[in-house]
Amino acid sequence: MTYEVTVEPTGDVIEVEEGQTILDAAQRQGVWLPFACGHGTCGTCKITVTEGDVDVGEASSFALMDIERDEGVVLACCAIPESDLTIEADVDVDPDFLGHPVQDYQGVVTDIRDLSPTIKGLVLQLDDDIAFQAGQYVNLHIPGVEGTRAFSIASKPSEHRALELHVRLVPGGAATSYIHEQLAVGDTLKVSGPYGQFFTRKSDPRDVIFIAGGSGLSSPQSMILDLLEAGDPRQIYLFQGARNVSELYRRELFEELAQQHANFFYIPALNEPEDSDGWQGFQGFVHEAAQDYFDNKFNGYKAYLCGPPPMIDAAVTALIQGRLFERDIHMERFVTAADGANEQTRSALFKRI
């Protein structure tokens, strides 16, 4: 059985299978609905049901309050139609968003390598071409692990079947432990994607600042490779933060790109270099490296941030203090169930993608 969901004010009609969430159906049919975490904890995908019946699903009480539920508000990532629906959504489609539909794939592991002591590089050869925008992510189904796990795509969109992913080992994490300790070349994983509303605004002529930390380098790597391959004329700056040299992975790649492209600038920063590193570059946190390089003046740029929440928060604060408007700051930040309660105390800026 399928249900029709009419999205107002756009008039889009989505066909939703029985038991399927509204968000999943929208993504698979290329219909834009705002979202962030995808599992009911952040509240970004709130919509109002004006006609029809719906199961609100496993929406967190932090993300969806009782008074909102009484008013017909649901989370698109959790809500399952029980009849034909009409919904109202805050749909503000970015003109640079291409809206590639989500599809399912089988991916064969063709390469696994250590990028740093805590990050592995994983390459999957898909059974069909995938269309995505640089900056988006895929979900992996990990054997023996309930649900899926999201990983940003590090390869460029022109590589239609070979997906590069960067996977940081999370202590106690079942999925990342499996990838680091058990996954082998030749294994097959179920993949779905692309997901996400984090992408470069190619229609904007302003120069671009990327700030990345940890495995958050994956999206900027894809975005930068895509821009340089297309011959983008803008000035492109990458600030990469790490603790020490061993964690500063892909350094050689970006140093080589900086030599090949006069409009690309690579600025690494280490906050705790080892004595044996012989580090001569910037010492401090990555947002401090950006402040130092631009003398705290960021107006007139577009900024893209990827990394752990503390890095994101510090970078946003630095950019705003440096006169960059919120609308020109874009970030990739996955919200986990453990973050649900804290996420409600943040401003809307920290929920933006």
Side-chain angles (χ1 to χ4, degrees), residues 80-107:
I80 299 173
E82 296 179 329
S83 70
D84 291 345
L85 302 177
T86 299
I87 64 172
E88 290 183 352
D90 184 14
V91 180
D92 183 16
V93 181
D94 192 296
D96 285 302
F97 182 65
L98 300 181
H100 296 299
V102 170
Q103 298 185 49
D104 298 317
Y105 304 89
Q106 294 286 332

Side-chain angles (χ1 to χ4, degrees), residues 239-240 242-243 245 248 251 255 266-274 277-285 288-289 292-293:
F239 294 87
Q240 181 188 5
R243 180 176 290 109
V245 166
L248 192 69
R251 177 185 177 187
E255 288 178 340
Y266 174 57
I267 305 94
L270 302 182
N271 63 295
E272 292 182 11
E274 305 284 349
D277 288 339
W279 183 245
Q280 299 297 316
F282 186 89
Q283 184 168 340
F285 292 106
E288 296 172 333
D292 178 75
Y293 191 93

Side-chain angles (χ1 to χ4, degrees), residues 224 228 238 240 245 248-262 264-268 279 281:
I224 290 167
L228 294 178
L238 170 61
Q240 181 188 5
V245 166
L248 192 69
Y249 76 98
R250 288 287 190 255
R251 177 185 177 187
E252 294 80 7
L253 168 66
F254 292 112
E255 288 178 340
E256 183 178 339
L257 290 174
Q259 292 178 352
Q260 294 173 348
H261 301 272
F264 175 64
F265 305 88
Y266 174 57
I267 305 94
W279 183 245

Side-chain angles (χ1 to χ4, degrees), residues 26-235:
Q27 290 178 320
R28 291 179 179 275
Q29 293 164 59
V31 175
W32 170 289
L33 289 177
F35 80 99
C37 76
H39 49 248
T41 61
C42 74
T44 303
C45 65
K46 286 179 182 177
I47 56 176
T48 302
V49 178
T50 58
E51 292 182 25
D53 300 315
V54 65
D55 179 353
V56 299
E58 299 180 1
S60 163
S61 59
F62 296 106
L64 189 65
M65 296 182 292
D66 289 341
I67 189 172
E68 293 177 308
R69 298 170 192 242
D70 293 341
E71 295 172 348
V73 178
V74 300
L75 302 184
C77 69
C78 297
I80 299 173
E82 296 179 329
S83 70
D84 291 345
L85 302 177
T86 299
I87 64 172
E88 290 183 352
D90 184 14
V91 180
D92 183 16
V93 181
D94 192 296
D96 285 302
F97 182 65
L98 300 181
H100 296 299
V102 170
Q103 298 185 49
D104 298 317
Y105 304 89
Q106 294 286 332
V108 177
V109 179
T110 59
D111 188 41
I112 304 175
R113 65 183 60 189
D114 292 329
L115 298 180
S116 82
T118 58
I119 298 173
K120 282 191 180 290
L122 175 66
V123 178
L124 297 172
Q125 186 73 20
L126 303 184
D127 59 347
D128 199 359
D129 289 353
I130 182 172
F132 67 93
Q133 287 184 262
Q136 292 190 295
Y137 66 92
V138 293
N139 282 339
L140 298 186
H141 295 259
I142 308 299
V145 178
E146 184 179 358
T148 61
R149 297 295 186 272
F151 297 98
S152 297
I153 303 170
S155 45
K156 54 190 177 183
S158 61
E159 297 173 355
H160 301 293
R161 292 205 182 190
L163 285 186
E164 178 185 341
L165 310 175
H166 300 165
V167 181
R168 180 177 66 86
L169 179 63
V170 177
T176 62
S177 294
Y178 181 91
I179 292 172
H180 274 250
E181 299 167 7
Q182 299 183 53
L183 191 67
V185 170
D187 288 352
T188 300
L189 295 176
K190 294 181 180 179
V191 183
S192 63
Y195 296 97
Q197 296 167 12
F198 182 69
F199 50 87
T200 46
R201 275 61 180 178
K202 292 186 176 181
S203 65
D204 193 309
R206 285 173 289 183
D207 294 337
V208 182
I209 298 171
F210 291 98
I211 300 179
S215 60
L217 180 67
S218 51
S219 287
Q221 175 177 307
S222 177
M223 298 159 98
I224 290 167
L225 291 175
D226 184 44
L227 290 173
L228 294 178
E229 181 181 65
D232 195 288
R234 288 174 292 180
Q235 302 289 293

